[in-house]
């Protein structure tokens, strides 16, 4: 690495969130462009930097800085330059010149040790002198803290977060309990805290370490969708993580419960946040689950009146509901809570449209929402009414809560949604935290109608809300399974249901919308996939290549997301001198690339601009699974602009690109709630637990016009036969039952088409 020393002449660019900075350093009269993380550096400061020289194709030689430290100015000119740079509020170039002229090389000692003497200079009062001294002391404290943290291998970005959190208490926290960092600071997990602790010399069987390890294990479990872990499994996992005996951890479970960090319900161990999230949801559901009839049953004449209204709507819409669809509409009218489920082609959309028309005729205010932008767009197209994402409906404000698990919404119990009816689609995608936020914003007396396919994959986040709601048997539920004639003409729909019932499907390629290509060589699969995506399928379904989606079960491996994206990018968006690009990780981002946001970012800003570049709308939040196109890569400002659905443009600093990845191929899990003109699935080999019926069903149902599977027919048959789905530890069903009214089970029984045993299956879950 190269070392340089100089003063900061000009800060060209700075990302305020993560400290990524481009600056101009003057070294012995020569200008040097430096790039790196400099969170609290100011113009005029003298710094020593270490890094590697790189040759930028546009901006020439730059120093990519790995380490830096701010050093006190050593001569009068440097002192004057620093003070006059604006680094110390209230001191400009003219005043800086007078200060240095008065005190010379003793200037910095005077400011730090005898700031009152600054009042000897004309234009500086005693009050201003003290203020200058205080500001200088604060900056000195931060510099010393940064040096202290760097000795433990902590990056500058994390060091700033730590200092901003603890201030002068940083030394006590680091020496006594560095595991507190994992609890208090986003971006510092157990592993980083553990590494710091080992450098400090904290023992592996420290109480602090054990407690932090247990909490970290529970947090890791939520990433798998669990809301709790059985006690023995928690101890087993924690023991492997900490590499200590389980007996040493037992006492710390009790201590964590006393500290209100854990809750034990029987043998189930929850992080406190998740237990009370489930309990709060159950309580709010109980309050919303009121019958519009009240204590008295509707008179037969009133029932007939409702049914007549529904039939008139059918005539207006030129549709004919079957008996169960009509029953679903009736139940949505009569109950505060109602759940509608069913697979593709079973008439959910027709039923929802009838509900909307009924409530509209009653003069009711209706809100429609779905978990993702794509799902909301589909809902809008299917109903003709505006649907929004749940986040936008709840008016996200981007501020993280203390628990750092969810975000704040403007709509809540104090400022509820103003609607008589709220319909939520794709409920299988809704996780525990989002569900809790939704329920908080729904008034008692507002109808909440939840729609989804219970056989789809569960949410990416913790919980399995739709499944638990149905399994509790405390709410009115109707599950549609009859495939309507028009939908029955689609082999996508027919095969999806056959897969869901564990039945074999025809692979003779006589279908108009469902194709299978037997291929055993990975390279041949690559070749045919590129041909299908770039030419044949777009022409067949009349769409752009970017609208055709490759779905795969895996991230790793020859047919995983990472490899497929590199191959597809090479053919769909090859290098071009007219397209800027930026290397990142093992790949590259290029203008025109199809990309996906891979984590929820509640605070990032987006804006919609007119064709003249004038902002016409803006807001906060881009979420896991949102897809867009790279519109611009700017190496000078170190930014990449991505345009998402509804023309929302987001500007990412290069340091934020870990939130984005190529999306020519995505996992089936990431495709939840989305619908594409055509889907291609490579299925050759993979782990049994992952390659199951549920995953195949979800992938097939993402396609609107065409499904093409490349790979092994044997693997396809094995997936259909494989019902092994990784279970989730969730307790919402039990919390609901605990609050349910005895005898309610029969009244709120699940209604399905004749000949199905779904209710029995659900009751045994």
């Amino acid at each position: 690495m190269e070392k340089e020393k100089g003063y900061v002449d000009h800060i060209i660019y700075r990302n305020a969130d993560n400290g990524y900075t481009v600056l101009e350093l003057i070294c012995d009269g020569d200008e040097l462009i430096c790039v790196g993380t400099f969170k609290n550096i100011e113009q005029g400061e003298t710094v020593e930097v270490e890094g590697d020289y790189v040759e930028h194709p546009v901006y020439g030689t730059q120093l990519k800085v790995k380490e830096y430290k701010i050093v006190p100015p050593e001569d009068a000119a440097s002192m004057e330059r620093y003070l006059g740079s604006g680094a110390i509020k209230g001191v400009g170039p003219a005043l800086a010149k007078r200060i240095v002229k008065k005190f010379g090389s003793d200037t910095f000692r005077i400011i730090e040790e005898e700031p009152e003497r600054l009042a000897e200079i004309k234009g500086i009062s005693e009050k201003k002198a003290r203020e200058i001294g205080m500001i200088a002391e604060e900056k000195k404290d931060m510099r010393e803290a940064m040096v202290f943290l760097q000795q433990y291998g902590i990056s500058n970005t994390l060091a700033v977060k730590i200092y901003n959190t603890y201030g002068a208490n940083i030394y006590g926290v680091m020496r006594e309990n560095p595991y507190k960092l994992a609890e208090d600071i986003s971006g510092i997990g157990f592993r980083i805290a553990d590494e710091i602790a080992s450098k400090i010399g904290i023992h592996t069987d420290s109480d602090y370490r054990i407690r932090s390890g247990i909490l970290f294990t529970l947090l890791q479990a939520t990433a798998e969708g669990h809301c709790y872990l059985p006690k023995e499994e928690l101890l087993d996992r924690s023991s492997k993580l900490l590499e200590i005996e389980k007996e040493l951890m037992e006492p710390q479970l009790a201590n964590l419960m006393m500290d209100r960090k854990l809750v034990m319900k029987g043998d189930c161990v929850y992080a406190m946040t998740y237990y009370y999230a489930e309990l709060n949801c159950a309580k709010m559901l109980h309050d919303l689950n009121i019958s519009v009839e009240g204590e008295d049953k509707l008179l037969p004449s009133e029932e007939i009146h409702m049914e007549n209204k529904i039939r008139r709507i059918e005539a207006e819409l030129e549709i004919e509901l079957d008996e169960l669809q009509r029953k679903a509409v009736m139940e949505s009218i009569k109950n505060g809570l109602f759940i509608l489920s069913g697979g593709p082609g079973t008439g959910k959309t027709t039923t929802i449209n009838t509900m909307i028309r009924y409530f509209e005729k009653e003069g009711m205010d209706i809100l429609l929402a779905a978990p993702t932008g794509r799902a909301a767009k589909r809902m809008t197209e299917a109903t003709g009414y505006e649907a929004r994402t749940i986040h936008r409906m709840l008016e996200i404000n981007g501020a993280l809560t203390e628990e750092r698990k969810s975000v704040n919404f403007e709509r809540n119990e104090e400022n509820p949604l103003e609607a008589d009816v709220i319909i939520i689609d794709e409920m299988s995608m809704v996780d525990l935290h989002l569900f809790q936020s939704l329920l908080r914003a729904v008034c008692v007396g507002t109808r909440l109608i939840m729609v989804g396919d219970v056989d789809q994959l569960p949410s990416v986040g913790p919980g399995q809300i739709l499944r638990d709601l149905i399994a509790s048997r405390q709410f009115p539920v109707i599950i549609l399974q009859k495939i309507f004639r028009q939908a029955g003409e689609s082999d996508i729909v027919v095969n999806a249901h056959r897969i869901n019932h564990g039945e074999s499907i025809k692979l003779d390629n006589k279908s108009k919308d469902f194709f299978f290509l037997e291929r055993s060589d990975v390279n041949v699969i690559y070749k045919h996939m590129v041909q299908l995506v770039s030419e044949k399928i777009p022409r067949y379904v009349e769409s752009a290549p970017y609208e055709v989606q490759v779905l795969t079960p895996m991230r790793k491996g020859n047919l995983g997301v990472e490899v497929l994206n590199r191959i597809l990018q090479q053919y769909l968006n090859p290098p071009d001198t007219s397209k800027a690009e930026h290397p990142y990780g093992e790949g590259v981002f290029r203008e025109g690339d199809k990309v996906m946001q891979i984590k929820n970012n509640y605070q990032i800003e987006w804006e919609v601009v007119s064709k003249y570049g004038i902002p016409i709308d803006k807001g906060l939040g881009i979420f896991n699974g949102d897809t867009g196109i790279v519109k611009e890569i700017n190496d000078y400002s170190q930014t990449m602009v991505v345009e998402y659905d509804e023309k929302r443009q987001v500007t990412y600093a290069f340091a934020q690109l870990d939130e984005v990845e190529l999306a020519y191929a995505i996992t089936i899990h990431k495709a939840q709630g989305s619908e594409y003109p055509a889907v291609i699935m490579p299925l050759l080999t993979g782990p049994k637990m992952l390659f199951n019926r549920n995953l195949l069903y979800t992938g097939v149902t993402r396609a609107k016009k065409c499904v093409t599977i490349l790979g092994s027919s044997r693997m396809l048959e094995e997936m259909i036969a494989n019902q092994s789905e990784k279970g989730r530890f969730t307790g919402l069903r039990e919390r609901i039952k605990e609050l349910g009214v005895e005898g309610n089970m029969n009244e709120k029984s699940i209604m399905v088409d004749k000949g199905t045993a779904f209710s029995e299956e659900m009751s045994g879950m």
Side-chain angles (χ1 to χ4, degrees):
M1 288 202 299
E2 302 291 333
K3 287 187 179 182
E4 299 288 356
K5 181 179 177 182
Y7 69 89
V8 180
D9 183 65
H10 178 54
I11 292 178
I12 299 168
Y13 169 80
R14 170 177 285 160
N15 183 302
D17 293 330
N18 55 36
Y20 184 86
T21 305
V22 181
L23 58 83
E24 187 178 282
L25 197 68
I26 304 298
C27 307
D28 297 327
D30 294 328
E31 297 177 359
L32 173 63
I33 300 298
C34 297
V35 296
T37 301
F38 304 87
K39 184 74 176 182
N40 282 277
I41 206 166
E42 304 289 349
Q43 289 180 192
E45 289 190 305
T46 303
V47 293
E48 289 181 358
V49 294
E50 283 187 57
D52 298 317
Y53 279 104
V54 294
E55 196 67 28
H56 192 281
V58 179
Y59 305 110
T61 303
Q62 297 180 341
L63 185 67
K64 193 172 183 179
V65 177
K66 303 288 180 60
E67 300 288 341
Y68 78 94
K69 65 178 180 179
I70 301 171
V71 296
E74 297 170 348
D75 55 65
S78 297
M79 292 179 187
E80 183 180 327
R81 188 167 50 242
Y82 171 70
L83 291 174
S85 69
I88 294 180
K89 188 178 178 182
V91 179
L95 188 54
K97 188 171 184 176
R98 295 206 301 273
I99 293 172
V100 174
K101 184 177 180 181
K102 170 75 175 175
F103 299 112
S105 60
D106 208 23
T107 296
F108 268 63
R109 188 196 67 78
I110 294 291
I111 291 174
E112 291 174 0
E113 298 176 12
E114 303 177 77
E116 66 278 359
R117 287 192 57 193
L118 294 174
E120 297 173 15
I121 297 170
K122 186 178 179 181
I124 300 180
S125 64
E126 287 187 17
K127 181 181 178 182
K128 188 170 184 178
R130 286 193 296 272
E131 286 176 355
I132 292 171
M134 286 174 63
I135 293 169
E137 186 64 30
E138 287 174 7
K139 287 185 170 289
K140 180 184 177 185
D141 288 346
M142 171 165 270
R143 287 175 194 151
E144 290 176 351
M146 298 283 278
V147 171
F148 171 74
L149 292 170
Q150 283 171 0
Q151 69 180 309
Y152 299 116
I154 297 172
S155 70
N156 292 322
T157 304
L158 283 182
V160 171
K161 281 187 177 182
I162 294 169
Y163 182 80
N164 289 341
T165 302
Y166 300 116
N169 296 324
I170 189 172
Y171 305 101
V173 170
M174 292 293 292
R175 291 186 177 116
E176 292 173 19
N177 179 19
Y179 294 100
K180 191 168 172 51
L181 303 178
E183 296 179 34
D184 296 342
I185 301 173
S186 175
I188 299 183
F190 170 79
R191 297 188 190 281
I192 293 176
D194 200 34
E195 189 178 331
I196 294 167
S198 67
K199 291 177 180 176
I200 290 172
I202 290 177
H203 294 299
T204 56
D205 60 354
S206 156
D207 290 351
Y208 290 130
R209 182 172 186 265
I210 294 171
R211 290 182 205 175
S212 184
I214 290 171
L215 291 173
F216 176 75
T217 301
L218 280 175
L219 181 64
Q220 290 292 96
T222 63
E224 300 170 24
H226 304 303
C227 295
Y228 70 85
L229 284 179
K231 180 181 173 183
E232 279 307 307
E233 182 159 347
L234 172 62
L235 293 177
D236 284 340
R237 291 191 184 197
S238 302
S239 176
K240 289 175 184 175
L241 171 74
L242 298 169
E243 298 180 340
I244 60 173
E245 297 298 320
K246 288 196 288 186
E247 290 72 22
L248 294 171
M249 293 186 288
E250 286 269 10
Q252 299 309 325
L253 287 177
N255 289 335
L256 285 166
M257 284 189 283
M258 289 178 64
D259 290 342
R260 296 181 60 80
K261 297 288 178 64
L262 294 185
V263 173
M264 278 193 70
K265 189 76 174 174
D267 193 45
C268 308
V269 185
Y270 284 86
M272 188 182 70
T273 305
Y274 289 89
Y275 175 75
Y276 283 104
E278 285 189 347
L279 195 61
N280 289 340
C281 285
K283 175 65 170 65
M284 290 184 285
L285 286 165
H286 181 268
D287 293 343
L288 291 170
N289 188 28
I290 57 176
S291 172
V292 177
E293 302 171 25
E295 294 182 2
D296 301 321
K297 292 286 184 183
L298 285 173
L299 295 172
S301 59
E302 293 174 307
E303 292 255 9
I304 292 169
H305 183 60
M306 282 184 181
E307 289 177 358
N308 288 337
K309 282 186 175 180
I310 294 169
R311 291 187 187 279
R312 283 198 293 271
I313 292 170
E314 290 179 57
E316 290 172 10
L317 296 176
E318 297 181 347
I319 59 171
E320 184 176 351
L321 302 178
D322 71 4
E323 182 183 349
L324 206 57
Q325 287 178 303
R326 202 169 289 117
K327 181 68 174 173
V329 178
M330 287 287 288
E331 291 296 316
S332 73
I333 297 166
K334 295 191 293 184
N335 292 282
L337 270 181
F338 174 66
I339 299 167
L340 177 66
S341 187
T346 56
K348 293 196 302 295
T349 299
T350 303
T351 308
I352 293 169
N353 283 336
T354 308
M355 291 175 187
I356 292 171
R357 186 62 63 90
Y358 185 97
F359 293 127
E360 189 179 45
K361 283 180 175 291
E362 295 295 306
M364 295 183 176
D365 292 325
I366 307 165
L367 289 178
L368 308 183
T372 66
R374 277 182 169 269
K377 185 178 180 182
R378 281 177 59 197
M379 197 178 187
T380 299
E381 291 168 352
T383 64
Y385 292 81
E386 182 192 4
R388 291 175 286 173
T389 63
I390 298 173
H391 291 87
R392 289 194 75 180
M393 181 179 73
L394 297 179
E395 298 174 21
I396 187 172
N397 66 18
L400 293 173
T401 61
E402 291 179 6
E403 296 88 1
R404 295 181 289 134
K405 304 297 182 190
S406 57
V407 293
N408 283 326
F409 293 98
E410 296 295 335
R411 295 291 182 173
N412 49 40
E413 48 272 84
E414 295 177 359
N415 181 29
L417 292 165
E418 297 170 5
D420 300 303
V421 181
I422 298 172
I423 303 176
I424 308 295
D425 198 8
E426 296 288 354
M427 272 298 300
S428 62
M429 296 181 65
V430 176
D431 66 21
L432 180 62
H433 294 298
L434 184 57
F435 191 50
Q436 180 178 220
S437 297
L438 171 66
L439 293 178
R440 281 176 171 163
V442 181
C443 284
V444 174
T446 297
R447 287 177 177 82
L448 179 60
I449 299 168
M450 294 171 279
V451 184
D453 184 350
V454 75
D455 293 314
Q456 295 285 349
L457 291 170
S459 58
V460 174
Q464 46 184 5
I465 301 302
L466 184 61
R467 192 172 287 265
D468 279 350
L469 292 181
I470 295 174
S472 74
R473 298 181 65 82
Q474 299 296 306
F475 312 112
V477 178
I478 287 184
I479 299 168
L480 306 173
Q481 291 196 338
K482 175 185 174 183
I483 303 175
F484 284 85
R485 184 182 60 78
Q486 188 174 353
E489 295 173 359
S490 165
D491 286 321
I492 295 175
V493 172
V494 172
N495 286 339
H497 284 272
R498 292 183 68 85
I499 290 166
N500 200 29
H501 295 142
E503 301 169 4
S504 296
I505 57 178
K506 290 183 180 180
L507 302 177
D508 56 10
N509 287 336
K510 293 180 180 179
S511 169
K512 293 180 180 179
D513 59 9
F514 197 101
F515 305 100
F516 176 80
L517 301 178
E518 183 84 46
R519 302 290 184 269
S520 58
D521 187 312
V522 170
N523 290 314
V524 173
I525 290 176
Y526 294 156
K527 176 185 174 183
H528 289 168
M529 185 183 300
V530 169
Q531 289 175 340
L532 289 168
V533 174
S534 60
E535 301 170 17
K536 295 186 177 181
I537 289 182
R539 195 164 56 239
Y540 185 68
V541 299
E542 298 179 340
S543 68
Y546 278 29
E547 294 179 292
V548 176
Q549 187 62 59
V550 175
L551 300 181
T552 175
M554 305 174 293
R555 288 195 58 80
K556 304 290 184 181
N558 290 332
L559 294 177
V561 165
E562 295 173 3
V563 172
L564 292 180
N565 269 319
R566 287 199 291 270
I567 292 169
L568 291 168
Q569 181 193 41
Q570 181 181 344
Y571 288 95
L572 296 179
N573 190 31
D576 191 304
T577 54
S578 66
K579 296 177 182 177
E581 58 182 51
H582 174 68
Y584 189 81
E586 295 181 4
V588 64
F589 288 113
R590 186 174 296 125
E591 288 177 349
D593 273 337
K594 181 180 178 181
V595 295
M596 172 181 280
Q597 175 82 11
I598 59 171
K599 60 176 76 170
N600 289 338
N601 187 329
Y602 303 101
Q603 296 169 302
I604 198 165
E605 294 183 357
W606 55 261
E607 65 178 13
V608 179
V609 298
S610 69
K611 62 181 180 179
Y612 303 109
I614 301 170
I616 55 177
D617 190 15
K618 59 178 157 181
L620 290 173
I622 295 294
F623 306 107
N624 190 353
D626 285 353
T627 56
I629 302 294
V630 176
K631 289 294 183 182
E632 178 188 332
I633 293 175
N634 189 321
D635 276 321
Y636 186 76
S637 64
Q638 304 277 297
T639 57
M640 183 171 88
V641 178
V642 178
E643 184 174 285
Y644 290 98
D645 289 337
E646 300 172 334
K647 298 194 178 297
R648 294 172 299 152
Q649 291 192 359
V650 174
T651 301
Y652 295 89
F654 284 172
Q656 293 176 292
L657 294 184
D658 61 336
E659 296 188 10
V660 184
E661 68 181 20
L662 295 176
Y664 299 102
I666 64 175
T667 63
I668 295 173
H669 281 84
K670 292 285 189 185
Q672 285 174 273
S674 297
E675 186 177 70
Y676 309 97
V679 159
I680 298 172
M681 286 193 288
L683 301 172
L684 194 57
T685 59
K688 183 176 180 181
M689 184 58 73
L690 183 61
F691 277 59
N692 57 37
R693 182 188 300 175
N694 190 222
L695 192 83
L696 180 61
Y697 173 77
T698 301
V700 167
T701 55
R702 298 307 90 205
K704 188 175 182 180
K705 297 180 180 178
C706 178
V707 168
T708 304
I709 298 174
L710 291 143
S712 164
S713 56
R714 182 178 175 184
M715 173 54 72
L716 194 63
E717 290 296 328
E718 287 178 1
M719 289 181 77
I720 294 171
N722 180 14
Q723 294 189 70
S724 63
E725 182 185 347
K726 192 171 182 181
R728 292 189 171 195
F729 296 117
T730 65
L732 181 59
R733 175 177 58 172
E734 283 68 33
R735 304 292 84 76
I736 291 170
K737 284 185 173 182
E738 288 167 0
L739 294 172
V741 179
E742 191 172 344
N744 205 27
M745 191 177 294
N746 293 329
E747 183 184 343
K748 306 293 185 183
S749 60
I750 298 172
M751 290 164 281
V752 298
D753 285 307
K754 290 180 180 179
T756 68
F758 189 85
S759 57
E760 286 78 6
E761 291 174 22
M762 294 303 296
S763 62
M765 285 176 56

